[in-house]
Amino acid sequence: MQVLLATALAWLLAVVYLSVNTWSGRSVSLVEASFLCASVAGLAASWVAWMHRRAWKRQTASLARRLDELRTEARHSTSEIVLEQLRQPMLADLDASLGRLIRAYQKALSAIVSLRERQGRAPGRSPLEPSASRPISATHIVIGSSRHRLVARLAPNLAIIAATQPFCRAVKRSIHQLLGMFIYDLVQPEDARAFQEELNQALRDGEAHNVVLRLLVEGQEKYLQMDVMTCYNEDGQPINLRCHFADITDRIQTERELRRITVEISEANARLRQSNLEMERLKESYRDLYHHAPVLYFSLDPGGRLVAFNEGFLRALGYPREELLGAPYEKLLTEDARRVLKLDPEMMQRPGEVESRWVRADGTWMDVWIGTTTIRDTQGAFVRSRSAARDVSETKRLALDLRQKADELWKANAQLLQINQQLEEFSYVVSHDLKEPLRTLEAFSNFLAHDYGPQLEGDGQLFIDHLVQASRRLGRMIDDLLALSRTGRVIHSPRPFEWKPLLETVLSDLQDLIARKGARVIIEEPLPACLGDPERIIQLVSNLVTNGLRYSSGETPEIVIGAAEPGDEPRATLFVRDNGIGIDPEYHEQIFRLFRRLNRREEYEGTGAGLTICKRIVEAHGGQIWVESQVGQGATFYFTLPVVPSISPHRTPRHLELVS
């Protein structure tokens, strides 16, 4: 439209010029008319260009003022992102207007040149006409006027052909380093291909907006946002690309920090929700524990009134909640407890423990033990007490019963001590007073049998033999009674012992009996190390071995000493096995009674106290003794003793045979 107005003005001037010459009678040649028209057209084009330049300057100044205002507003609102979003469309509009203006100017110059050629003149070059070496484009104007902007111009092959100083400073390179460098060489290698495709797309489409570049400048990441406008020649071929950059590193970092903070806030919110759920669960658990605990919880205000209590408190006393809530604490006390409270009114306002007695709803009373903590304000004034009470009525009753049982036990112990003392006196009498005449009787019986026995006839000799045997049997019986009285009373502190030296002592003491019987003694090793009184254990094993030798059958006696397979209990089971006459199962319990004999004295010697002594010794060590036997199949006596925990008794057995 502007070009048409300029042409119309030129033709108007030409018509005026011709009219004046016609009125003056002078003819106008065709050359003059053509030159006049060309001059007028050139003047009109210059005027149009000047007007457009003024308008562009005014628009640029207006836009600059608006940008300054927006930048000031952005600084006050701490929103640089909004400023950038507003600036980009304005710059795009400005670039489009500049392009249209320059294309119109170039068309006007082309028309003047064509007119001169038709007039037969050399084209020449106007000061405003573009040269072949430096064509006028929008990029030249922008770069020339962008002292504070990040702007670069690219060739169609994406090589940098111009750049502003702010852009050089932004990428930390000089203008000489940038010229001829491909723009995609500035970005990160992994982003280069995608960035190159964006620029090629801009060459095809004419523009590209909001392309983000990721650069590595001096070891630090920098982000630039780029807008691309493609400049074309008269034939529509791309001449160059004008690239405007904006440093958005702070925005990207802010967004990253914002995302990180958002994630942290989300995680914190999740943790907070989880904590709230856990808190609710804890509150519910606390309520359940508070109301269903076996402890009686209650609280008192400064006036001594009940302000809180749990369900256990109500169940123990039998009162309804409405009757106790707000009631004075004295309502629960017996008369004696009230008198104690009146003597010390602040007793329930001090932390500590007290004993009291409460009255239930049915009139019965209960003994309670109360532990109290207090809550006070910043000035130390009493606010509330928190108490926990326990019903100790049953405990006190049991304590009373225990004291009664203890008194009874003390009396029984006193009687037992008296009996033991009497037993000691009896043992002394037996050992000294009875054995002394017995030894005299036995000595004189042996004297008579030795000196006068041959002189007596059959009945006399028989009577003397009976007298000797009776005196000996009476002596053994007295010895067994003494041993029985000492068994269980004279048990020393248990201590670890090995079986080998103990069994050697037993076999040494019984070697005469073993030799007389022609017996074999077999020891199955290993035997577990046990705890006990070695002297009593020797007596135990000696009695069992002697019992097996005495009640042997016609074949060669055989005694086996060993240990059974270990069990779960911390005790070892040992045994003494013989191949004697055996015992009827009917009498397995009776043989451990004192002086209980199953055979006649004429057949098998003995007093009948040996197994009773064995039972006493085993029970004094906390063990048990029993027998497994059948008539004619021998007998196996088992007994248990505590073992040494650090020594394992179970190993592969081997036999050790001792032959007389």
Side-chain angles (χ1 to χ4, degrees):
M1 180 62 71
Q2 294 172 350
V3 175
L4 292 176
L5 291 175
T7 304
L9 180 63
W11 280 107
L12 180 61
L13 293 175
V15 170
V16 171
Y17 179 77
L18 293 175
S19 299
V20 171
N21 288 323
T22 303
W23 290 341
S24 61
R26 184 177 176 273
S27 61
V28 181
S29 64
L30 181 60
V31 175
E32 290 178 348
S34 300
F35 180 77
L36 179 61
C37 292
S39 300
V40 173
L43 181 62
S46 300
W47 179 78
V48 170
W50 180 74
M51 291 297 292
H52 277 282
R53 186 174 181 86
R54 287 190 61 187
W56 177 78
K57 286 183 177 181
R58 287 195 300 271
Q59 188 176 6
T60 302
S62 177
L63 290 174
R65 288 192 301 273
R66 181 56 181 166
L67 288 175
D68 292 337
E69 293 175 359
L70 292 175
R71 190 177 289 107
T72 302
E73 294 176 0
R75 281 196 296 267
H76 290 293
S77 62
T78 66
S79 179
E80 190 69 25
I81 298 176
V82 176
L83 177 61
E84 293 293 335
Q85 292 178 350
L86 293 175
R87 185 173 62 180
Q88 298 303 326
M90 295 179 183
L91 292 175
D93 295 340
L94 178 61
D95 293 339
S97 300
L98 288 175
R100 289 192 299 269
L101 177 62
I102 291 173
R103 285 193 293 273
Y105 179 64
Q106 289 179 347
K107 289 180 180 180
L109 291 179
S110 299
I112 295 173
V113 172
S114 299
L115 182 60
R116 286 183 176 182
E117 289 178 352
R118 287 194 300 270
Q119 292 177 353
R121 295 185 178 185
R125 184 165 64 90
S126 174
L128 298 176
E129 185 178 354
S131 64
S133 61
R134 184 175 178 147
I136 297 177
S137 65
T139 309
H140 288 87
I141 299 175
V142 172
I143 291 177
S145 62
S146 302
R147 296 180 180 181
H148 304 291
R149 299 177 183 175
L150 281 66
V151 183
R153 187 176 65 189
L154 308 179
N157 63 351
L158 305 183
I160 300 174
I161 58 178
T164 61
Q165 287 298 326
F167 181 80
C168 296
R169 289 192 297 269
V171 298
K172 303 295 183 181
R173 286 179 172 85
S174 65
I175 186 66
H176 302 289
Q177 293 174 335
L178 291 176
L179 293 178
M181 180 185 293
F182 294 102
I183 187 66
Y184 49 79
D185 291 336
L186 295 175
V187 303
Q188 295 282 25
E190 57 269 21
D191 301 339
R193 181 175 295 276
F195 178 59
Q196 187 176 359
E197 293 177 356
E198 289 282 351
L199 293 179
N200 291 330
Q201 186 68 28
L203 285 172
R204 292 189 295 270
D205 299 342
E207 60 183 5
H209 299 285
N210 301 325
V211 180
V212 179
L213 285 72
R214 186 165 63 98
L215 290 74
L216 187 64
V217 180
E218 296 182 348
Q220 296 181 352
E221 282 190 346
K222 178 174 285 191
Y223 293 86
L224 300 179
Q225 182 175 297
M226 180 181 71
D227 293 329
V228 183
M229 296 292 295
T230 305
C231 299
Y232 301 91
N233 57 14
E234 299 174 355
D235 300 330
Q237 298 295 322
I239 302 174
N240 51 54
L241 291 98
R242 198 257 326 155
C243 303
H244 185 276
F245 301 88
D247 192 348
I248 60 173
T249 304
D250 293 340
R251 190 187 75 184
I252 296 295
Q253 292 177 350
T254 302
E255 291 175 353
R256 286 181 176 178
E257 184 68 16
L258 182 62
R259 287 194 295 269
R260 185 186 64 80
I261 294 174
T262 303
V263 171
E264 291 181 355
I265 292 175
S266 300
E267 294 176 352
N269 289 333
R271 291 193 298 268
L272 182 60
R273 288 192 296 269
Q274 185 66 27
S275 299
N276 290 334
L277 293 176
E278 187 67 25
M279 184 64 68
E280 290 297 328
R281 288 194 293 268
L282 290 176
K283 287 181 179 178
E284 188 66 25
S285 300
Y286 172 76
R287 284 193 292 267
D288 292 340
L289 179 63
Y290 178 78
H291 288 292
H292 299 94
V295 181
L296 315 180
Y297 294 106
F298 65 97
S299 296
L300 303 178
D301 63 4
R305 293 180 294 272
L306 293 167
V307 294
F309 38 79
N310 64 345
E311 296 295 333
F313 185 84
L314 296 176
R315 288 193 301 269
L317 293 172
Y319 291 97
R321 177 179 293 275
E322 295 78 11
E323 185 175 351
L324 289 183
L325 191 62
Y329 176 67
E330 295 180 358
K331 178 181 177 66
L332 306 177
L333 302 179
T334 61
E335 292 295 333
D336 294 338
R338 290 179 184 177
R339 285 194 293 269
V340 173
L341 185 62
K342 288 180 179 180
L343 294 175
D344 188 6
E346 297 182 355
M347 179 175 59
M348 300 302 298
Q349 297 184 5
R350 292 193 300 269
E353 295 183 350
V354 296
E355 187 177 1
S356 185
R357 180 168 289 180
W358 290 349
V359 180
R360 298 186 180 94
D362 57 2
T364 60
W365 52 266
M366 57 186 293
D367 292 311
V368 292
W369 190 263
I370 306 171
T372 302
T373 60
T374 59
I375 301 175
R376 299 181 180 275
D377 58 16
T378 56
Q379 285 75 32
F382 176 81
V383 177
R384 178 179 292 188
S385 68
R386 291 179 177 176
S387 303
R390 292 183 292 108
D391 185 359
V392 295
S393 302
E394 186 67 18
T395 304
K396 295 187 69 173
R397 186 186 64 80
L398 293 176
L400 180 60
D401 293 342
L402 184 60
R403 284 195 296 269
Q404 293 176 355
K405 297 292 184 183
D407 293 339
E408 294 176 359
L409 183 60
W410 184 84
K411 293 178 181 179
N413 287 332
Q415 294 176 359
L416 183 59
L417 290 175
Q418 185 179 1
I419 294 173
N420 288 333
Q421 185 177 1
Q422 294 175 357
L423 185 59
E424 292 286 345
E425 294 175 355
F426 173 75
S427 299
Y428 178 81
V429 171
V430 171
S431 62
H432 292 83
D433 296 347
L434 291 182
K435 290 198 70 176
E436 183 64 28
L438 181 61
R439 284 193 294 268
T440 302
L441 179 61
E442 186 178 358
F444 279 103
S445 298
N446 292 328
F447 175 74
L448 290 174
H450 183 269
D451 293 343
Y452 299 99
Q455 301 176 13
L456 299 175
E457 296 180 357
D459 292 339
Q461 181 69 38
L462 181 62
F463 294 153
I464 292 179
D465 292 337
H466 284 318
L467 181 62
V468 173
Q469 293 176 5
S471 61
R472 291 177 179 175
R473 187 168 58 254
L474 181 59
R476 290 194 299 269
M477 186 176 297
I478 292 173
D479 291 337
D480 291 340
L481 287 174
L482 290 174
L484 183 62
S485 66
R486 290 193 297 268
T487 303
R489 297 186 296 108
V490 190
I491 297 291
H492 300 288
S493 299
R495 60 181 183 273
F497 65 88
E498 295 289 342
W499 284 96
K500 185 177 180 180
L502 188 145
L503 294 178
E504 289 178 352
T505 302
V506 172
L507 297 178
S508 177
D509 295 339
L510 300 177
Q511 63 180 353
D512 292 339
L513 181 60
I514 295 173
R516 189 169 65 252
K517 292 289 187 178
R520 294 191 305 168
V521 180
I522 300 173
I523 301 174
E524 291 185 351
E525 292 185 338
L527 297 176
C530 298
L531 295 172
D533 186 353
E535 294 182 1
R536 296 305 176 196
I537 301 301
I538 291 174
Q539 185 180 4
L540 167 67
V541 178
S542 179
N543 285 348
L544 294 176
V545 173
T546 301
N547 190 77
L549 294 175
R550 286 176 178 175
Y551 295 95
S552 60
S553 59
E555 59 185 26
T556 302
E558 183 177 277
I559 306 297
V560 181
I561 303 173
E565 292 292 329
D568 297 332
E569 297 183 359
R571 293 185 177 275
T573 301
L574 299 106
F575 63 85
V576 177
R577 182 185 300 120
D578 61 65
N579 59 348
I581 61 177
I583 304 171
D584 193 328
E586 180 181 358
Y587 304 105
H588 284 182
E589 296 293 334
Q590 298 181 16
I591 61 175
F592 295 102
R593 298 177 183 175
L594 183 63
F595 302 138
R596 185 68 171 90
R597 294 178 55 88
L598 303 180
N599 306 99
R600 296 180 301 172
R601 296 188 181 91
E602 292 80 5
E603 296 178 0
Y604 302 97
E605 59 180 345
T607 62
L611 293 179
T612 305
I613 295 174
C614 293
K615 183 177 174 57
R616 289 280 188 92
I617 293 174
V618 173
E619 291 178 350
H621 286 80
Q624 296 179 344
I625 185 170
W626 69 95
V627 63
E628 294 180 2
S629 177
Q630 295 289 338
V631 177
Q633 299 181 8
T636 303
F637 288 87
Y638 293 94
F639 59 94
T640 60
L641 293 174
V643 298
V644 180
S646 60
I647 301 177
S648 177
H650 183 62
R651 296 191 296 271
T652 304
R654 63 184 178 89
H655 292 78
L656 176 64
E657 183 175 341
L658 301 177
V659 183
S660 61

